[in-house]
Amino acid sequence: MAEAPRGILSGIRVLDFSRMLSGPYCTMMLADHGAEVIKIESPDGDTSRGNGPWRADDEGRDWAGYFVSLNRSKKSIVLDLKDAAAEAQIRALVRSSHVLVENFRPGVMERLGLGYEELVKENPALVYATIRGFGDPRSGESPYAQWPSYDVVAQAMGGLMSMTGADRDHPMKTGPGIGDVFAGMMLAFAIVSAVRHAERTGKGQFVDIGMYDAMLSLCERLVYLYDMEGKVAEPAGNGHPLLAPFGLFPAADGWVSIGVVDDAFWRELARIMARPDLAADTRLATKPGRRAHAPEVNEAVSAWTRRHSKAELTALLGGRLPFGPVNDARDILADPHVAARSMIAEVPHAEAGRRGWRVAANPIHFGLTPAPAPSTPPRLGEHNDMLAVQDAKPTT
């Protein structure tokens, strides 16, 4: 029987003090690819354990979807960080770990005697990684350093909301928690980079991501647009401020996306629409021309798309130019692409015989080191027996 894959990060131990979404998303990415992630939870557990949703057959509300999705393939140890005995136990775990992740406000871990400067004494190769709303003072002290922050704050302050929505009077947050998720993704990259450095040099380091900073990085267009043209980026609705036709267009039964950048795609779209007049219109032959006449271009395309269903538009446009229908969960779960790419993961239930959970899979694929199958998320304190083995080595 072939050995089950262990993942490209097998052998790396991560102590995860983070809660809710940003930090757990980061450590989820690491666990998905084989890292041993040990959640250090308070006696009440990660807040997400109580956030829902719950399946109808989960009468005890033990398995919130929020928690299951983010904390598959992890372990759980319960420690009361305010208990003096916990400090010694954590220091012992640090000695056998490669990474520590936390997303408390600045100063919390220091007041507990568990700041980077203290823990690096126990393990000079430790990568100590943080996500904070406005970063850590070690990298530059923000005037907002002590402000609490969640996704909605990061989206607002980092520029995303100012660029999203119908118009400047109606800013809008995105549906997914991008302020948390993008910061978590960036921290995962930073951790792997710092671990590689530690492997070469034996020296760990402090790693810092601010959610505000991550959002600004994501919204990079607002910076160069203001710098080069003196324009403040504003919501473009479902269109694009620089390109046409580019965005969402109505179908008879929903919406589709069309993204025309190359002039050749515009000519192909005009051909499929049976509009030789558009293809021959010299005003619209180039990107700058279509940008200057965006309302006219978008209305012509919309008038055509709304006469067809999403399926009809898929048959007409799919594969011929950048196009896609607007999918909901039902569409995605039925899409052959999702099946072919194994983008729905099955997480086994903790209780034998019970149906597990479907979650979004990790999208990263390695040709030589496939990711291991996800394992059941931990019950609160399920792995407390690890505390009895003070010098336990990372799982390999």
Side-chain angles (χ1 to χ4, degrees):
M1 182 180 294
E3 183 180 355
R6 296 183 298 173
I8 200 166
L9 299 180
S10 175
I12 294 176
R13 171 174 285 177
V14 180
L15 299 182
D16 182 9
F17 288 78
S18 67
R19 304 164 297 167
M20 290 296 285
L21 179 52
S22 61
Y25 192 95
C26 166
T27 56
M28 176 200 75
M29 294 187 70
L30 304 178
D32 279 347
H33 292 285
E36 181 189 22
V37 176
I38 304 170
K39 287 183 69 70
I40 308 298
E41 300 190 72
S42 73
D44 294 329
D46 188 327
T47 308
S48 67
R49 288 183 180 271
N51 280 4
W54 292 274
R55 279 202 328 221
D57 64 353
D58 185 6
E59 295 180 359
R61 294 196 164 187
D62 297 317
W63 302 104
Y66 196 133
F67 181 83
V68 167
S69 178
L70 294 172
N71 293 285
R72 68 229 190 187
S73 305
K74 298 179 185 180
K75 298 177 179 178
S76 171
I77 289 176
V78 169
L79 285 172
D80 184 350
L81 300 186
K82 297 178 182 178
D83 185 340
E87 181 180 342
Q89 292 172 308
I90 290 169
R91 286 177 178 268
L93 287 168
V94 163
R95 288 195 289 271
S96 63
S97 299
H98 303 87
V99 179
L100 183 150
V101 178
E102 54 103 338
N103 61 351
F104 299 115
R105 275 190 261 180
V108 171
M109 290 290 272
E110 284 74 15
R111 289 192 292 273
L112 296 167
L114 300 171
Y116 169 69
E117 288 76 13
E118 285 298 315
L119 295 185
V120 75
K121 297 174 184 176
E122 303 289 345
N123 180 356
L126 179 69
V127 173
Y128 190 113
T130 68
I131 295 179
R132 313 202 194 286
F134 304 96
D136 188 273
R138 293 174 178 86
S139 306
E141 187 159 8
S142 167
Y144 319 122
Q146 293 298 327
W147 289 18
S149 180
Y150 281 119
D151 162 70
V152 67
V153 177
Q155 287 197 36
M157 297 185 72
L160 188 64
M161 288 188 189
S162 74
M163 301 172 69
T164 306
D167 53 52
R168 65 188 304 173
D169 296 323
H170 299 88
M172 183 176 293
K173 70 178 288 294
T174 62
I178 296 296
D180 285 308
V181 168
F182 190 64
M185 292 170 59
M186 296 191 83
L187 189 64
F189 165 77
I191 286 170
V192 172
S193 302
V195 167
R196 183 172 185 270
H197 178 268
E199 290 173 342
R200 291 201 317 268
T201 66
K203 295 180 180 180
Q205 57 190 296
F206 187 86
V207 180
D208 166 30
I209 293 284
M211 293 167 62
Y212 186 147
D213 306 348
M215 283 296 90
L216 177 56
S217 173
L218 182 67
C219 299
E220 39 80 44
R221 189 177 77 212
L222 70 81
V223 177
Y224 71 71
L225 186 64
Y226 186 75
D227 179 64
M228 294 183 176
E229 295 188 353
K231 293 182 179 179
V232 174
E234 296 181 355
N238 289 320
H240 193 287
L242 305 177
L243 301 168
F246 196 105
L248 295 190
F249 295 86
D253 57 352
W255 296 85
V256 298
S257 63
I258 296 173
V260 170
V261 177
D262 295 339
D263 297 336
F265 284 138
W266 169 245
R267 294 191 293 271
E268 177 66 1
L269 177 59
R271 184 192 68 77
I272 295 170
M273 292 170 58
R275 290 290 303 272
D277 56 313
L278 294 178
D281 192 332
T282 56
R283 298 175 306 142
L284 311 180
T286 64
K287 284 185 288 186
R290 291 190 296 277
R291 177 187 180 186
H293 298 88
E296 178 183 347
V297 169
N298 289 330
E299 178 51 40
V301 175
S302 295
W304 177 76
T305 59
R306 64 168 53 98
R307 298 199 301 267
H308 301 276
S309 69
K310 290 198 297 183
E312 290 169 343
L313 291 169
T314 298
L316 288 166
L317 300 177
R320 294 176 175 83
L321 63 148
F323 162 88
V326 175
N327 290 336
D328 61 21
R330 292 164 297 187
D331 301 319
I332 289 169
L333 290 173
D335 195 321
H337 165 92
V338 175
R341 300 287 295 175
S342 302
M343 275 308 302
I344 302 298
E346 299 282 343
V347 178
H349 202 287
E351 299 172 21
R354 296 191 64 183
R355 181 175 71 83
W357 305 277
R358 290 182 296 180
V359 298
N362 193 301
I364 301 172
H365 301 273
F366 293 100
L368 294 179
T369 50
S375 60
T376 306
R379 292 188 182 276
L380 182 61
E382 181 178 339
H383 302 91
N384 271 25
D385 56 352
M386 294 181 69
L387 295 173
V389 185
Q390 294 296 313
D391 293 314
K393 300 301 181 184
T395 299
T396 58

